[in-house]
């Protein structure tokens, strides 16, 4: 089997679902929980992270907290974007995939 046929077979099994969230002062975190059926794997593709028009003029960090593994009970967050309204209010995340 060549790589192109393996890749196309994998692509056919992928289900795409549009998902988004809005963080605010009241809701500072959001957990992505995919609805998996059977033994499907899941990938989260990040496309755009942006500040809303009411964002305060301060540094806003977007972080991912990986699931804990058996060795480390708590994983450290990974910053994927730092935004500030007057400097960088939006960032396009090209090629970011989390499995």
């Amino acid at each position: 089997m060549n790589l192109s046929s393996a890749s196309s077979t994998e692509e056919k099994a992928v289900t795409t679902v549009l998902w988004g969230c809005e963080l605010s002062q009241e809701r500072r975190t959001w957990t992505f929980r995919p609805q998996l059926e059977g033994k499907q794997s899941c990938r989260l593709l990040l496309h755009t992270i942006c500040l809303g028009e009411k964002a305060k003029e301060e540094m806003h960090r977007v972080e991912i907290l990986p699931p804990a593994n058996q060795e480390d009970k708590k994983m450290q967050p990974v910053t994927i974007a730092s935004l500030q309204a007057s400097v960088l209010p939006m960032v396009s995340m090209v090629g970011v995939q989390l499995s």
Side-chain angles (χ1 to χ4, degrees), residues 38-51:
K39 295 185 177 184
Q40 289 179 328
S41 63
C42 177
R43 277 188 242 162
L44 175 63
L45 306 174
L46 297 176
H47 188 271
T48 304
I49 299 172
C50 62
L51 297 177

Side-chain angles (χ1 to χ4, degrees), residues 47-74:
H47 188 271
T48 304
I49 299 172
C50 62
L51 297 177
E53 63 183 57
K54 296 179 183 176
K56 292 181 180 177
E57 186 56 43
E58 59 189 23
M59 189 63 67
H60 300 270
R61 286 188 328 209
V62 177
E63 300 174 328
I64 294 176
L65 184 61
N69 61 27
Q70 293 187 6
E71 296 172 6
D72 297 329
K73 295 298 180 190
K74 185 175 181 181

Side-chain angles (χ1 to χ4, degrees), residues 14-96:
V14 173
T15 301
T16 304
V17 178
L18 181 61
W19 177 82
C21 72
E22 181 178 348
L23 301 176
S24 65
Q25 191 66 29
E26 295 77 33
R27 180 157 185 138
R28 300 174 65 88
T29 64
W30 196 287
T31 302
F32 174 70
R33 290 189 178 92
Q35 302 296 318
L36 298 177
E37 296 178 13
K39 295 185 177 184
Q40 289 179 328
S41 63
C42 177
R43 277 188 242 162
L44 175 63
L45 306 174
L46 297 176
H47 188 271
T48 304
I49 299 172
C50 62
L51 297 177
E53 63 183 57
K54 296 179 183 176
K56 292 181 180 177
E57 186 56 43
E58 59 189 23
M59 189 63 67
H60 300 270
R61 286 188 328 209
V62 177
E63 300 174 328
I64 294 176
L65 184 61
N69 61 27
Q70 293 187 6
E71 296 172 6
D72 297 329
K73 295 298 180 190
K74 185 175 181 181
M75 298 293 289
Q76 294 296 316
V78 177
T79 301
I80 59 169
S82 295
L83 306 173
Q84 189 170 351
S86 64
V87 180
L88 184 65
M90 181 178 90
V91 63
S92 293
M93 309 294 290
V94 178
V96 177

Side-chain angles (χ1 to χ4, degrees), residues 1-7 9:
M1 180 181 280
N2 64 31
L3 290 177
S4 63
S5 65
S7 176
T9 303

